[in-house]
Amino acid sequence: MRHESLEDQFGRRFAYLRLSLTDVCNFRCEYCLPDGYQGTPHGFLSRAEMGRLIHHFAALGIRKLRLTGGEPLIRRDVLDIVRDAAETPGIETLAMTTNAYRLREMAVPLREAGLHTLNISLDSLDPENFARITGDQRHARVMEGIEAAIAAGFERVKINSVLLRGLNDGEVADFVEYVRHRPITVRFIELMRTANNGDYFGKRHVRARGIAQQLEAEGWQRQQRGGTDGPAIEFSHSDYRGRIGFITPYAAGFCDGCNRLRVTARGGLRLCLFGTGTHDLRPLLQNDQQEAAFRESVFAALFHKQAGHRLNEGDYGDTPHLAMTGG
Protein backbone atom coordinates (compact mmCIF):
# COMPACT_ATOMS: atom_id res chain seq x y z
CA MET A 1 0.00 0.00 0.00
CA ARG A 2 1.24 3.48 -0.86
CA HIS A 3 1.46 5.80 2.16
CA GLU A 4 1.21 9.54 1.67
CA SER A 5 0.81 12.38 4.13
CA LEU A 6 -2.20 14.64 4.50
CA GLU A 7 -0.92 18.13 5.20
CA ASP A 8 -2.65 21.51 4.97
CA GLN A 9 -1.25 24.89 3.96
CA PHE A 10 -0.39 25.63 7.62
CA GLY A 11 1.89 22.61 7.94
CA ARG A 12 -0.51 20.58 10.06
CA ARG A 13 -0.50 16.85 9.35
CA PHE A 14 -3.62 14.72 9.66
CA ALA A 15 -3.33 11.17 10.94
CA TYR A 16 -6.70 10.98 12.73
CA LEU A 17 -10.10 10.45 11.11
CA ARG A 18 -13.51 10.50 12.79
CA LEU A 19 -16.08 8.56 10.79
CA SER A 20 -19.76 8.74 11.70
CA LEU A 21 -21.60 5.43 11.22
CA THR A 22 -25.02 7.06 11.63
CA ASP A 23 -26.45 10.42 12.65
CA VAL A 24 -29.24 8.72 14.62
CA CYS A 25 -29.06 8.95 18.41
CA ASN A 26 -31.44 7.30 20.88
CA PHE A 27 -30.79 9.76 23.73
CA ARG A 28 -32.30 13.25 24.00
CA CYS A 29 -29.51 15.16 25.72
CA GLU A 30 -30.83 18.64 26.45
CA TYR A 31 -27.63 20.34 25.26
CA CYS A 32 -27.57 18.37 22.02
CA LEU A 33 -30.89 16.94 20.77
CA PRO A 34 -33.53 17.99 23.32
CA ASP A 35 -36.33 17.10 20.90
CA GLY A 36 -34.75 13.80 19.89
CA TYR A 37 -33.47 12.80 16.48
CA GLN A 38 -35.38 14.60 13.71
CA GLY A 39 -33.45 13.47 10.64
CA THR A 40 -33.92 10.74 8.05
CA PRO A 41 -32.70 7.45 9.59
CA HIS A 42 -31.46 5.86 6.37
CA GLY A 43 -29.20 6.54 3.42
CA PHE A 44 -25.97 6.18 5.38
CA LEU A 45 -22.76 4.85 3.88
CA SER A 46 -22.88 1.08 3.38
CA ARG A 47 -20.36 -1.27 4.90
CA ALA A 48 -18.64 -1.59 1.52
CA GLU A 49 -18.45 2.18 1.05
CA MET A 50 -17.04 2.61 4.53
CA GLY A 51 -14.49 -0.11 3.88
CA ARG A 52 -13.22 1.67 0.78
CA LEU A 53 -13.17 5.03 2.56
CA ILE A 54 -11.14 3.66 5.46
CA HIS A 55 -8.73 1.90 3.10
CA HIS A 56 -8.22 5.03 1.01
CA PHE A 57 -7.63 7.26 4.04
CA ALA A 58 -5.19 4.74 5.53
CA ALA A 59 -3.22 4.97 2.28
CA LEU A 60 -3.16 8.75 2.80
CA GLY A 61 -1.55 8.43 6.23
CA ILE A 62 -4.51 8.08 8.59
CA ARG A 63 -3.32 5.98 11.53
CA LYS A 64 -6.12 6.52 14.05
CA LEU A 65 -9.77 5.95 13.21
CA ARG A 66 -12.66 6.80 15.52
CA LEU A 67 -16.12 5.41 14.76
CA THR A 68 -18.78 7.81 15.99
CA GLY A 69 -22.41 8.85 15.50
CA GLY A 70 -25.05 9.73 16.50
CA GLU A 71 -24.85 6.48 18.38
CA PRO A 72 -22.74 3.96 16.42
CA LEU A 73 -24.03 0.90 18.29
CA ILE A 74 -27.44 1.48 16.70
CA ARG A 75 -26.08 0.05 13.44
CA ARG A 76 -26.79 -3.65 13.08
CA ASP A 77 -23.57 -4.20 11.12
CA VAL A 78 -21.36 -2.36 13.59
CA LEU A 79 -19.26 -5.43 14.45
CA ASP A 80 -18.63 -6.09 10.76
CA ILE A 81 -17.53 -2.48 10.26
CA VAL A 82 -15.21 -2.72 13.26
CA ARG A 83 -13.66 -5.94 11.90
CA ASP A 84 -13.16 -4.40 8.47
CA ALA A 85 -11.49 -1.34 9.96
CA ALA A 86 -9.29 -3.40 12.30
CA GLU A 87 -8.05 -5.45 9.34
CA THR A 88 -7.21 -2.38 7.24
CA PRO A 89 -3.43 -2.05 6.74
CA GLY A 90 -2.16 1.19 8.26
CA ILE A 91 -4.84 1.64 10.92
CA GLU A 92 -2.93 1.45 14.19
CA THR A 93 -5.57 2.70 16.64
CA LEU A 94 -9.27 1.92 16.28
CA ALA A 95 -11.56 3.81 18.64
CA MET A 96 -15.28 4.36 19.18
CA THR A 97 -17.45 6.93 20.94
CA THR A 98 -20.72 5.60 22.38
CA ASN A 99 -23.40 6.42 24.94
CA ALA A 100 -22.90 2.85 26.23
CA TYR A 101 -26.54 1.84 26.13
CA ARG A 102 -25.55 -1.51 24.52
CA LEU A 103 -22.05 -1.76 25.93
CA ARG A 104 -22.92 -4.24 28.68
CA GLU A 105 -23.51 -6.87 26.00
CA MET A 106 -21.23 -5.47 23.29
CA ALA A 107 -17.97 -4.73 25.12
CA VAL A 108 -16.44 -8.17 24.66
CA PRO A 109 -17.59 -8.63 21.03
CA LEU A 110 -16.24 -5.18 20.15
CA ARG A 111 -12.90 -5.94 21.74
CA GLU A 112 -12.72 -9.30 19.96
CA ALA A 113 -13.59 -7.60 16.66
CA GLY A 114 -10.46 -5.45 17.02
CA LEU A 115 -11.58 -2.24 18.74
CA HIS A 116 -8.75 -0.74 20.83
CA THR A 117 -10.24 2.17 22.78
CA LEU A 118 -13.63 3.46 23.89
CA ASN A 119 -14.95 6.92 24.69
CA ILE A 120 -18.19 6.84 26.66
CA SER A 121 -20.51 9.84 27.01
CA LEU A 122 -21.58 10.23 30.64
CA ASP A 123 -22.72 13.61 31.92
CA SER A 124 -23.66 12.59 35.45
CA LEU A 125 -22.91 9.90 38.01
CA ASP A 126 -26.30 10.54 39.62
CA PRO A 127 -29.25 8.62 38.10
CA GLU A 128 -31.76 11.45 38.49
CA ASN A 129 -29.40 14.05 37.09
CA PHE A 130 -28.47 11.69 34.26
CA ALA A 131 -32.15 11.36 33.33
CA ARG A 132 -32.59 15.13 33.48
CA ILE A 133 -29.69 15.79 31.13
CA THR A 134 -30.09 12.88 28.69
CA GLY A 135 -33.84 12.31 28.71
CA ASP A 136 -33.10 8.62 29.30
CA GLN A 137 -33.60 6.37 32.32
CA ARG A 138 -30.87 3.81 31.55
CA HIS A 139 -28.22 5.16 33.92
CA ALA A 140 -27.64 1.79 35.62
CA ARG A 141 -27.24 0.12 32.23
CA VAL A 142 -24.69 2.73 31.15
CA MET A 143 -22.70 2.31 34.36
CA GLU A 144 -22.71 -1.46 33.89
CA GLY A 145 -21.47 -0.89 30.35
CA ILE A 146 -18.53 1.14 31.63
CA GLU A 147 -17.55 -1.62 34.03
CA ALA A 148 -17.92 -4.17 31.22
CA ALA A 149 -15.59 -2.09 29.04
CA ILE A 150 -12.97 -1.98 31.79
CA ALA A 151 -13.25 -5.74 32.30
CA ALA A 152 -13.03 -6.42 28.54
CA GLY A 153 -9.45 -5.16 28.47
CA PHE A 154 -9.62 -2.21 26.10
CA GLU A 155 -6.34 -0.34 25.83
CA ARG A 156 -8.03 2.84 27.02
CA VAL A 157 -11.49 3.70 28.31
CA LYS A 158 -12.45 7.37 28.52
CA ILE A 159 -15.55 9.13 29.78
CA ASN A 160 -16.68 12.35 28.13
CA SER A 161 -18.69 14.71 30.32
CA VAL A 162 -19.99 18.03 29.00
CA LEU A 163 -19.70 20.67 31.72
CA LEU A 164 -23.07 22.29 32.39
CA ARG A 165 -23.49 25.14 34.84
CA GLY A 166 -26.04 24.34 37.50
CA LEU A 167 -26.48 20.74 36.32
CA ASN A 168 -23.28 18.76 36.71
CA ASP A 169 -20.53 21.25 37.53
CA GLY A 170 -21.07 20.28 41.17
CA GLU A 171 -20.10 16.67 40.37
CA VAL A 172 -16.48 17.34 39.46
CA ALA A 173 -15.19 16.02 42.80
CA ASP A 174 -17.31 12.88 42.37
CA PHE A 175 -15.85 12.24 38.92
CA VAL A 176 -12.33 12.77 40.26
CA GLU A 177 -13.01 10.21 42.99
CA TYR A 178 -14.47 7.86 40.38
CA VAL A 179 -11.05 7.49 38.72
CA ARG A 180 -9.18 6.87 41.97
CA HIS A 181 -9.37 3.08 41.57
CA ARG A 182 -10.36 2.78 37.90
CA PRO A 183 -7.85 2.87 35.00
CA ILE A 184 -9.95 5.29 32.96
CA THR A 185 -9.87 8.94 31.96
CA VAL A 186 -12.68 11.39 32.66
CA ARG A 187 -12.60 14.34 30.28
CA PHE A 188 -14.59 17.47 30.95
CA ILE A 189 -15.71 19.18 27.75
CA GLU A 190 -16.69 22.82 27.64
CA LEU A 191 -20.12 23.37 26.10
CA MET A 192 -19.81 24.77 22.58
CA ARG A 193 -22.01 27.37 20.97
CA THR A 194 -23.82 26.27 17.81
CA ALA A 195 -26.25 27.89 15.41
CA ASN A 196 -29.31 27.02 17.47
CA ASN A 197 -28.31 26.80 21.15
CA GLY A 198 -27.59 30.45 21.99
CA ASP A 199 -29.92 30.77 24.98
CA TYR A 200 -28.88 27.41 26.40
CA PHE A 201 -25.20 28.21 25.92
CA GLY A 202 -25.58 31.49 27.79
CA LYS A 203 -27.25 29.72 30.70
CA ARG A 204 -25.10 26.59 30.97
CA HIS A 205 -21.62 27.35 29.64
CA VAL A 206 -18.86 27.13 32.23
CA ARG A 207 -15.11 27.40 31.71
CA ALA A 208 -12.90 24.46 32.67
CA ARG A 209 -9.82 26.53 33.42
CA GLY A 210 -10.59 26.96 37.12
CA ILE A 211 -11.08 23.22 37.57
CA ALA A 212 -7.76 22.47 35.88
CA GLN A 213 -5.98 25.02 38.07
CA GLN A 214 -7.47 23.42 41.18
CA LEU A 215 -6.24 19.99 40.12
CA GLU A 216 -2.73 21.34 39.55
CA ALA A 217 -2.82 22.88 43.01
CA GLU A 218 -3.65 19.42 44.34
CA GLY A 219 -0.63 17.80 42.69
CA TRP A 220 -2.03 16.62 39.36
CA GLN A 221 0.57 16.65 36.57
CA ARG A 222 -0.10 17.63 32.98
CA GLN A 223 0.71 14.90 30.43
CA GLN A 224 2.20 15.21 26.97
CA ARG A 225 -0.09 14.59 23.98
CA GLY A 226 0.69 11.81 21.53
CA GLY A 227 0.90 12.36 17.79
CA THR A 228 -2.58 11.00 17.07
CA ASP A 229 -4.25 12.14 20.29
CA GLY A 230 -7.27 14.43 20.15
CA PRO A 231 -7.37 17.93 21.61
CA ALA A 232 -7.75 16.94 25.28
CA ILE A 233 -5.23 18.07 27.90
CA GLU A 234 -4.87 15.28 30.48
CA PHE A 235 -3.59 15.21 34.05
CA SER A 236 -2.41 12.31 36.20
CA HIS A 237 -1.78 11.87 39.92
CA SER A 238 0.22 9.19 41.72
CA ASP A 239 -2.70 8.48 44.08
CA TYR A 240 -5.15 7.78 41.24
CA ARG A 241 -5.24 4.95 38.70
CA GLY A 242 -7.16 7.09 36.23
CA ARG A 243 -6.70 10.52 34.69
CA ILE A 244 -8.66 13.75 34.36
CA GLY A 245 -8.74 15.65 31.09
CA PHE A 246 -10.17 18.83 29.59
CA ILE A 247 -11.31 19.83 26.12
CA THR A 248 -11.43 23.62 25.93
CA PRO A 249 -12.35 24.81 22.42
CA TYR A 250 -12.33 28.48 23.43
CA ALA A 251 -8.76 28.40 24.70
CA ALA A 252 -6.11 30.28 22.74
CA GLY A 253 -4.27 28.07 20.27
CA PHE A 254 -6.84 25.27 20.44
CA CYS A 255 -6.71 24.70 16.68
CA ASP A 256 -2.95 25.01 16.27
CA GLY A 257 -2.32 21.30 16.71
CA CYS A 258 -5.35 20.08 14.77
CA ASN A 259 -4.64 16.59 13.43
CA ARG A 260 -8.11 15.26 12.61
CA LEU A 261 -10.65 15.20 9.83
CA ARG A 262 -14.30 14.15 9.93
CA VAL A 263 -16.53 12.26 7.55
CA THR A 264 -20.28 12.24 8.02
CA ALA A 265 -22.46 9.14 7.91
CA ARG A 266 -23.41 10.04 4.32
CA GLY A 267 -19.85 10.53 3.09
CA GLY A 268 -19.32 14.26 3.53
CA LEU A 269 -15.78 15.34 4.41
CA ARG A 270 -15.81 18.12 7.02
CA LEU A 271 -12.53 19.96 7.40
CA CYS A 272 -13.65 21.63 10.64
CA LEU A 273 -16.57 20.88 12.92
CA PHE A 274 -17.47 24.56 12.92
CA GLY A 275 -16.71 25.20 9.27
CA THR A 276 -19.18 25.46 6.42
CA GLY A 277 -20.18 22.82 3.92
CA THR A 278 -19.06 19.27 3.28
CA HIS A 279 -17.01 17.80 0.46
CA ASP A 280 -18.95 14.84 -0.93
CA LEU A 281 -16.76 11.74 -1.13
CA ARG A 282 -19.52 9.19 -1.65
CA PRO A 283 -19.49 9.19 -5.46
CA LEU A 284 -15.83 8.10 -5.24
CA LEU A 285 -16.57 5.07 -3.04
CA GLN A 286 -18.53 2.97 -5.52
CA ASN A 287 -15.74 0.71 -6.78
CA ASP A 288 -12.10 -0.09 -6.05
CA GLN A 289 -10.87 1.65 -9.21
CA GLN A 290 -11.70 5.12 -7.88
CA GLU A 291 -8.87 5.40 -5.34
CA ALA A 292 -6.78 7.84 -7.39
CA ALA A 293 -9.78 10.15 -7.89
CA PHE A 294 -10.59 9.88 -4.18
CA ARG A 295 -7.05 10.87 -3.25
CA GLU A 296 -7.08 13.87 -5.57
CA SER A 297 -10.45 14.98 -4.22
CA VAL A 298 -9.28 14.86 -0.60
CA PHE A 299 -6.10 16.81 -1.34
CA ALA A 300 -8.08 19.44 -3.23
CA ALA A 301 -10.50 19.84 -0.32
CA LEU A 302 -7.74 19.99 2.30
CA PHE A 303 -6.21 23.02 0.58
CA HIS A 304 -9.22 25.03 1.79
CA LYS A 305 -8.96 24.10 5.47
CA GLN A 306 -8.82 27.27 7.58
CA ALA A 307 -6.36 28.04 10.35
CA GLY A 308 -9.02 27.59 13.03
CA HIS A 309 -12.64 27.94 14.02
CA ARG A 310 -14.16 31.35 14.76
CA LEU A 311 -16.29 30.55 17.78
CA ASN A 312 -14.88 33.50 19.69
CA GLU A 313 -16.08 35.76 16.86
CA GLY A 314 -19.62 34.39 16.97
CA ASP A 315 -19.16 32.32 13.82
CA TYR A 316 -20.44 28.76 14.34
CA GLY A 317 -20.24 27.59 10.75
CA ASP A 318 -23.18 25.48 9.65
CA THR A 319 -23.15 23.12 12.63
CA PRO A 320 -26.75 23.27 13.88
CA HIS A 321 -26.38 21.07 16.95
CA LEU A 322 -23.79 19.17 18.98
CA ALA A 323 -24.86 15.77 17.65
CA MET A 324 -22.54 16.51 14.74
CA THR A 325 -19.49 16.59 17.01
CA GLY A 326 -19.19 12.82 17.00
CA GLY A 327 -17.42 12.55 20.31
Side-chain angles (χ1 to χ4, degrees), residues 2-290:
R2 170 171 41 191
H3 294 294
E4 297 188 70
S5 177
L6 289 169
E7 184 173 332
D8 69 6
Q9 58 182 320
F10 305 102
R12 296 175 297 193
R13 293 192 173 185
F14 300 88
Y16 180 4
L17 176 68
R18 301 186 183 194
L19 172 60
S20 176
L21 303 191
T22 174
D23 59 20
V24 178
C25 187
N26 57 337
F27 281 16
R28 296 170 175 258
C29 296
E30 66 171 46
Y31 60 84
C32 184
L33 292 175
D35 299 321
Y37 178 71
Q38 303 292 319
T40 304
H42 54 75
F44 305 125
L45 292 179
S46 68
R47 174 187 173 188
E49 288 172 324
M50 287 189 176
R52 292 188 186 102
L53 183 140
I54 294 167
H55 175 275
H56 296 345
F57 267 113
L60 291 174
I62 291 297
R63 295 291 168 263
K64 179 177 180 180
L65 173 67
R66 177 172 300 282
L67 305 176
T68 71
E71 172 46 49
L73 295 183
I74 286 177
R75 279 194 65 139
R76 295 179 180 178
D77 57 355
V78 63
L79 289 177
D80 293 326
I81 294 172
V82 170
R83 290 190 194 96
D84 293 345
E87 294 171 359
T88 302
I91 298 299
E92 299 170 358
T93 301
L94 181 58
M96 178 180 287
T97 297
T98 173
N99 63 24
Y101 89 107
R102 292 188 64 197
L103 204 51
R104 184 176 63 184
E105 301 82 16
M106 294 287 290
V108 170
L110 285 167
R111 186 69 184 101
E112 291 177 345
L115 194 69
H116 300 129
T117 71
L118 273 172
N119 284 14
I120 299 167
S121 300
L122 178 69
D123 295 314
S124 179
L125 293 169
D126 176 76
E128 292 185 6
N129 207 27
F130 175 89
R132 158 71 190 277
I133 295 171
T134 66
D136 193 275
Q137 300 289 335
R138 287 173 284 191
H139 180 264
R141 187 178 180 87
V142 168
M143 300 305 292
E144 290 170 0
I146 294 172
E147 296 301 326
I150 295 172
F154 286 96
E155 295 175 13
R156 295 198 72 178
V157 176
K158 302 177 183 179
I159 290 174
N160 293 338
S161 185
V162 178
L163 279 173
L164 301 169
R165 184 181 302 278
L167 289 180
N168 65 4
D169 55 337
E171 292 189 54
V172 171
D174 296 329
F175 274 111
V176 172
E177 185 60 30
Y178 187 73
V179 306
R180 183 182 292 275
H181 302 297
R182 292 177 176 86
I184 61 178
T185 300
V186 169
R187 308 187 310 172
F188 296 110
I189 305 173
E190 288 186 1
L191 181 67
M192 290 173 277
R193 174 78 160 85
T194 66
N196 65 359
N197 75 347
D199 292 342
Y200 189 87
F201 178 84
K203 181 179 181 180
R204 298 299 186 192
H205 179 252
V206 55
R207 295 275 189 174
R209 181 179 179 182
I211 301 171
Q213 291 174 333
Q214 180 63 34
L215 286 180
E216 289 186 290
E218 295 172 358
W220 289 77
Q221 300 292 318
R222 180 169 174 167
Q223 302 299 300
Q224 288 290 112
R225 287 178 57 198
T228 59
D229 287 346
I233 299 171
E234 294 189 359
F235 294 81
S236 66
H237 193 291
S238 59
D239 293 338
Y240 294 77
R241 291 189 68 190
R243 293 182 175 185
I244 298 294
F246 301 92
I247 298 177
T248 55
Y250 292 91
F254 179 79
C255 298
D256 293 351
C258 183
N259 63 353
R260 56 210 173 277
L261 300 173
R262 299 172 185 263
V263 174
T264 71
R266 292 178 169 82
L269 173 64
R270 290 188 67 88
L271 301 176
C272 175
L273 175 61
F274 292 98
T276 56
T278 58
H279 186 76
D280 190 11
L281 298 175
R282 192 170 204 171
L284 303 175
L285 299 172
Q286 303 314 302
N287 61 67
D288 295 338
Q289 285 67 52
Q290 296 175 289

